[in-house]
Amino acid sequence: MRRTGLILAMVLILVCGSALNGSAAEEVSVRISAARSGWYDAVQKLFVGEGDVQIATEDTLITGDYVEWSIDTGELVVSGNVVLKQSENELAGEYLFYSVNRGEGEFLDVSALVEAPKAEGPIFLRSETVVISRDGTYRLLNGRITTCDLEKPHYYLAVKELELFPNDKLIVRNVTYYEGSIPLFYWPYLILPVGENIADMLSLLPVVGYSNNEGFYVKTNFDYYLNENHYGVVHLDLYSKLGVGYGFTHNYSHSWLGKGKLRAFHIPFGDQGKFSANFNHEWSQGPWRFVTTNALDTAGNDRKADLRSRLTLTTASVSASLNGTYQENLGSSTGKAWEYGASWRQQLAEGLRLTLNGSVTGKEGSKSLRMLDYLAETTYTKGSHTLALAVEQKYNPDLLEEGAQPTWSSLNRMPELSWRLTNPRLSRRVLPIQLELKGGHYHEFPSDVADWRLGGTAALLTRTWRPTQTTTISYGGEAASAWYGEGGNQSVLTGRLNLTQQLGSRLRLTARYNEQLVFGESPFRFDKKSPVRSVNLSLSHTSSALSLSASTSYNFLTEKYGTLALQGTWRPTANLKLSLSAGYDLNTDKWGRIVPKFEYSAKDGQERTKTFRLGGKYDVGAGQWEEVEVQVKSPVGETWTIGYDAVYEPKQEDFRSGQIRIDKEFHCRSITLAYDHVKGNVAFSVTINAFPTLPFGWDSDKGVSLFDVDDVLDLIGVEK
């Protein structure tokens, strides 16, 4: 239909540029030529051209065997091998007629080549008639759409009538999907909103299948269209084990209330009656914006809920939000979890900012707790200086993690005053330092320690020095001290030094040293520091065919080495790759796991890939292979491909996974036969490379499936 729009635009340009009645329309450069003959009948006011007729503008070309242009009636006729070209698009037909006075036209016996995003090939469109109406609507009569480039395509969509209302809707009547000459599916009437709703269109495809839980099923959808602001789909499904399922999906939009989608589906019968509902809504007005997404699923005594809402305010000086989240998974250890919070950030004056945050977080299940966090802070920034006054209660977020053992649960700052100086200037030179001073009253739980604390930090920001072209040294560190009201103090000196030495064009040594000295002790747990003294070493060799690396670490305080990690990759040819990784415990002088892998990949004359991968994991300490992996894929002949993918566990003397697959490629479709010898499943599928791709098949575990909509959405780039 987009090509039809180009026809209309071209005809209007031709009319305006070539009319001889002295109209005031803007002139457009148009060139008309006829190779055999051309003449103008002054009595009938008719221009006629024959033989390789060309009507050209800057970016559009119309060609044909014959053209007539009537000045009195305003009728333009182009016939015989009519072709319209614009950029890389092309529309062809046998007869083009357009009446300027009535604003109507027809293009007969039309064929078109349409490029679609993510389609594996172009889309071929044929139609007996494309009708252009005076109200701006277009109708395609007796059309055929396919991606098969044969004169008699293997598959296609036959459309009796397609009517487009620009910027509104698309009405399709009598649509049939054909596999060769066999009709498989039929839709009598579809109404599709124009624009963003490709996903809604695809959801109308019928689904026939089988599963262990549902039995045989037929899922059908019927769309409705009230207007461009209210439309949707009614779902009606039939299951041999569950009975009838029904529901709806409604899309709505309002100029002030916003837009959204409401969906509900119910299977009332069976031992596990199911109900699901979704409600999504967006609203914005001036600086305000509200978004909510809600989902509810129930099956028997199990229930899952995920409710999320957020209201935001954004102006030149204020940024605020109000949000809430509730999650529920009854029947599992997850239980319930919720969080409600608000934030306010306002620029009170130049350099002066107010920040207010608060949230309540709760969790019920195998581990139940409730947390209240809040922060009130005002900061003033001028140049390199920042002054802040804060009141805060902060819970350790590790409390929400399963299995975590946090040393403190919550901390109150009542209040805290801080000053920070970053990158100060001295005689027009920026110093790479940061100074910070903090003081306040703190109350920590569960230690129940309450005390005043004054702390100061002087940090040297990371600096880089290159004494030679092959040597790079980076360094940084900080000194920090804290004094406490009840007596005592804690001081910390931290330093880091990194060295990268290029030992040759392909050999590089990297060393990283970290040290942290701690003097004194803190009565709190949140700021407790521990000594650190360690070094990390790495040696690597890199070339076009070979890469090797070895890395380890040493802790001077525990006098223990880290695992020596060895890795190597060798590419003797472009198609062959050998890799090996291993771990060695320097403390016990024992090898850990060794992981070798052999990979071969190449392409045949038809650009089909054949691969062979063999790898595994060998436990040196146990003296046995933990697993062996193999993957084979190879084309056989011109249209066949065989493959095998498996993981074998020698210790268990059994396969963890294994599948044999055979693919057969036809002109524009493929057939796949797969056998999983671990699960005992057999699967057969046929993929039709149409627009959209329509795979269907049978699996001994899942049963029959037709029209995988997720694959369809991915093909054309629609976000799910």
Side-chain angles (χ1 to χ4, degrees), residues 511-565:
R512 182 172 69 253
Y513 179 78
N514 292 284
E515 180 156 4
Q516 182 169 278
L517 302 176
V518 181
F519 308 94
E521 188 175 358
S522 169
F524 296 102
R525 296 182 181 180
F526 80 92
D527 67 344
K528 182 178 177 61
K529 303 296 183 183
S530 300
V532 175
R533 186 179 300 162
S534 64
V535 63
N536 295 73
L537 299 172
S538 176
L539 184 66
S540 62
H541 170 86
T542 304
S543 65
S544 58
L546 180 65
S547 62
L548 302 170
S549 68
S551 61
T552 188
S553 62
Y554 182 73
N555 190 321
F556 292 94
L557 300 180
T558 61
E559 297 183 347
K560 289 186 177 181
Y561 291 94
T563 300
L564 175 63

Side-chain angles (χ1 to χ4, degrees), residues 598-674:
F598 172 88
E599 299 179 65
Y600 176 80
S601 178
K603 291 187 176 182
D604 63 8
Q606 301 180 33
E607 292 298 313
R608 296 179 300 172
T609 302
K610 52 183 177 179
T611 60
F612 175 75
R613 296 186 177 94
L614 178 63
K617 295 180 182 179
Y618 183 76
D619 190 334
V620 179
Q624 66 178 5
W625 288 92
E626 291 184 346
E627 64 179 42
V628 178
E629 302 178 27
V630 62
Q631 186 181 71
V632 180
K633 181 180 179 181
S634 176
V636 178
E638 296 184 355
T639 59
W640 292 89
T641 301
I642 61 173
Y644 181 63
D645 194 346
V647 177
Y648 180 74
E649 297 177 334
K651 185 177 181 179
Q652 307 295 332
E653 296 184 352
D654 199 2
F655 285 88
R656 190 172 73 205
S657 63
Q659 186 185 75
I660 303 171
R661 175 171 171 151
I662 302 176
D663 295 278
K664 167 68 174 178
E665 289 288 340
F666 293 91
H667 173 261
C668 46
R669 76 193 80 189
S670 63
I671 295 177
T672 299
L673 176 65

Side-chain angles (χ1 to χ4, degrees), residues 39 59 82 119 121 173 207 223 282 292 340 365 471 490 561 594 680:
W39 66 90
D59 60 351
V82 182
R173 298 178 176 89
V207 178
D223 70 324
E282 295 183 22
T292 182
Y340 308 104
T471 304
Q490 175 181 255
Y561 291 94
I594 298 178

